[in-house]
Amino acid sequence: MTVYRCFRLRMNFTISRWSVSLASLIWATAPVCAQEVDIDQVRAATAKLIAQLVDQGVLARDKGEALMSDFAKPAAAPSASGNAGSAVGGAATEAGAKGAAGTVRVPYIPEFVRKELKDEIRLELAAQAFREGWTGPGSVPAWVRGLAWDGDLRFRVQLDRFGSANAPQISITDTNRTRALSLANTAEDRERFRFRARIGLTAKIDENWSGGVRLTTGSATDPLSSNQTLGTYNNRYTVLIDRAYIRYRLGDYSAVAGRMANPWFGTDLMWANDLSFDGVALQWTPTITSDIRGFATLAALPIQEVELASADKWLFGGQIGATLLPSPRTVGAKLGLAYFHYASLRGKISPAGSTVNEFTAPAFAQKGNTYYNISSDPTRPLLGLAADYQLLNLTGQADLPSIAGKRIIVTGDYVRNFGFDRAAVSQRVGTNVDPQVSAYHLRVAFGDAEIKALHDWQVFAAYKRVERDALLDAFTDSDFRLGGTDARGYILSGSYGLGKNTSAAFRYFSGDSISGAPLSIDVFQFDLNVKF
């Protein structure tokens, strides 16, 4: 008589990222029926199964060899403990005693039990892979996880209002481009829809090396603004590479080369917010105490490369300072002292009948600095800078705790141009030129330090005074009095969070001239911002 016994086979696995090891075989009673088979057939089938698991990488080779070794050992005698495994073993022994001599009867693993084992292994692998992020739904390769995306979108309504007593103003850039005297708009009010789109990719290569690229809307001839003015007969927007750099970081030291973000601590007194820099910068950020971090930056930044190497235009700069880290209930502060040297920017007059020095005229300028005609041809004007610019800059910021978790942030920025030579400038221009060489910016903000969530808010008020030759007018903020120097006035602003990384903002700029011809401009901006 054939004897049937019911049992269940369960396999427990320890799963790692790259291998699966067989930990144990547990036999327990379950509604699965066994039938009589020859022991040699069972050994051959089991050996084949273990070999396949090893070949497919599911079972480590050393674990497979250990299983084969254990499988080759004689079966242990049933224990007297009375557990389920012993009961099955005893029943099998009893059934074997009733069989023909020389025949060993062992449990047989049916096909559906094998399928159950495979399904359990597959589920365990998927769960482990999902936890470790190396395979499964939504997983990405390791090199992809080293990429980080960021960007922002901004829709702006801008209103420019010009004073009725404004005097005509020469457009430096247009005059130098066309070689004919060109006037800027100083009288006609203007309304514009404007849009800015920026998207950046940062790739972390390893613990030391990384790189980045950012694309932006804007104009290839305006380095200060990424705005795209709407209303060009539905033409597509221009997309430009705004940043492209390689960075190396080792502890507190880092070096970046290419087209990079502003490496200096400062405000928009000297540099427009959208301005990027070409060149090489070295930075050191040592830890002074647990609450104070120092910083030092050296940079060599080419402004214009010309065929004559000795005449290339450069900005060299160095800055040192320290940061007192803020907390919700303590004061934060930051202080920086910088020196900036512009090399070969001053215009030079070409000899009669020659154009040898025409490259010294700026390729881009706004308004305010002292200029003079460097062309040898009176019918083709070309305007160059009359002064040199060697700037000492002191910037400070205090971050103070306030009520309901809000902050009061006070910022001050001061610049003086020590490169201005009154006698030399007056000789070039042909008239006496007073030294107007100082600039400062004061700003007080109240609210959340950043607008990141619904109902976050911030308001601020600021005052600027930028004398004629205190700064290089080409790189100053293009919103305040529509850019340039020889300007004074105030700024009012408010921002409110409409959702996660979404905000609305209003800004009002009111600026007037200091010593030059009358030029009063008020600018209103209404912004909708989204960051990601």
Side-chain angles (χ1 to χ4, degrees), residues 334-347:
K334 192 170 186 177
L335 184 67
L337 179 65
Y339 175 76
F340 303 103
H341 177 81
Y342 289 96
S344 302
L345 258 67
R346 176 168 48 82

Side-chain angles (χ1 to χ4, degrees), residues 436-511:
Q436 299 279 330
V437 294
S438 296
Y440 63 87
H441 178 203
L442 298 175
R443 182 178 184 270
V444 179
F446 174 61
D448 295 287
E450 295 183 90
I451 310 299
K452 292 184 176 181
L454 180 65
H455 304 314
D456 285 352
W457 59 270
Q458 186 191 91
V459 295
F460 77 77
Y463 182 82
K464 279 187 181 181
R465 178 184 171 90
V466 186
E467 294 178 351
R468 181 179 56 242
D469 291 304
L471 307 169
L472 191 68
D473 67 30
F475 298 144
T476 60
D477 178 28
S478 61
D479 294 326
F480 179 64
R481 211 183 67 137
L482 297 182
T485 61
D486 187 34
R488 60 183 175 184
Y490 57 89
I491 307 165
L492 302 176
S493 176
S495 301
Y496 184 78
L498 302 178
K500 180 181 179 181
N501 293 328
T502 304
S503 64
F506 165 74
R507 291 186 180 183
Y508 169 57
F509 304 82
S510 179

Side-chain angles (χ1 to χ4, degrees), residues 4 24 42 49 79 112 115 133 190 227 247 390 406 429 438 480 520 531:
Y4 294 91
S24 62
V42 174
L49 175 60
S79 66
F112 71 90
K115 184 178 183 302
R190 191 177 185 186
N227 291 311
R247 184 184 299 276
Q390 300 172 18
K406 306 302 180 183
V429 175
S438 296
F480 179 64
S520 175
K531 295 182 180 181

Side-chain angles (χ1 to χ4, degrees), residues 24-276:
S24 62
L25 292 171
I26 303 174
W27 298 81
T29 57
V32 176
C33 292
Q35 66 185 35
E36 299 176 0
V37 295
D38 187 86
I39 185 62
D40 293 332
Q41 297 176 356
V42 174
R43 290 181 185 277
T46 305
K48 184 177 181 180
L49 175 60
I50 294 174
Q52 289 179 350
L53 292 174
V54 171
D55 291 341
Q56 296 175 7
V58 177
L59 184 64
R61 184 168 297 277
D62 59 338
K63 300 295 183 181
E65 293 174 354
L67 275 175
M68 291 296 296
S69 176
D70 292 342
F71 184 70
K73 295 178 181 179
S79 66
S81 60
N83 57 32
S86 298
V88 173
T93 303
E94 180 183 353
K98 296 180 181 181
T103 300
V104 179
R105 296 166 178 81
V106 297
Y108 170 70
I109 306 174
E111 183 62 31
F112 71 90
V113 177
R114 297 182 185 182
K115 184 178 183 302
E116 181 186 34
L117 291 173
K118 292 179 181 179
D119 291 342
E120 288 185 0
I121 294 171
R122 187 179 297 109
L123 290 174
E124 288 292 333
L125 280 169
Q128 184 75 8
F130 179 79
R131 287 192 297 270
E132 297 185 3
W134 53 271
T135 188
S139 65
V140 294
W143 68 270
V144 177
R145 294 197 299 272
L147 303 179
W149 295 90
D150 66 274
D152 64 270
L153 303 170
R154 183 181 70 195
F155 176 73
R156 167 174 290 175
V157 179
Q158 180 167 323
L159 311 177
D160 302 333
R161 296 292 181 259
F162 297 91
S164 58
N166 287 351
Q169 188 88 26
I170 294 175
S171 173
I172 307 299
T173 300
D174 290 342
T175 297
N176 288 350
R177 183 179 299 132
T178 63
R179 300 303 299 271
L181 193 63
S182 301
L183 297 180
N185 177 24
T186 60
E188 294 294 331
D189 293 344
R190 191 177 185 186
E191 297 83 28
R192 287 177 283 178
F193 284 169
R194 315 187 81 185
F195 198 86
R196 184 183 71 182
R198 302 185 296 190
I199 183 168
L201 171 65
T202 302
K204 184 177 181 181
I205 311 304
D206 57 25
E207 294 301 317
N208 303 114
W209 292 96
S210 63
V213 177
R214 187 171 80 171
L215 302 179
T216 182
T217 52
S219 168
T221 59
D222 184 353
L224 305 182
S225 175
S226 298
N227 291 311
Q228 176 75 48
T229 298
L230 281 62
T232 57
Y233 270 83
N234 295 331
N235 258 331
R236 295 172 179 85
Y237 297 166
T238 301
V239 177
L240 305 164
I241 295 179
D242 181 46
R243 292 179 188 169
Y245 62 88
I246 298 173
R247 184 184 299 276
Y248 179 78
R249 187 182 301 276
L250 181 62
D252 296 333
Y253 298 91
S254 69
V256 59
R259 184 168 179 83
M260 68 194 81
N262 189 341
W264 315 108
F265 165 56
T267 69
D268 61 8
L269 176 66
M270 290 187 65
W271 321 110
N273 290 327
D274 284 355
L275 182 65
S276 296

Side-chain angles (χ1 to χ4, degrees), residues 281-297:
L282 306 176
Q283 296 178 316
W284 179 41
T285 55
T287 299
I288 300 175
T289 69
S290 60
D291 296 326
I292 300 177
R293 295 289 300 263
F295 62 89
T297 303

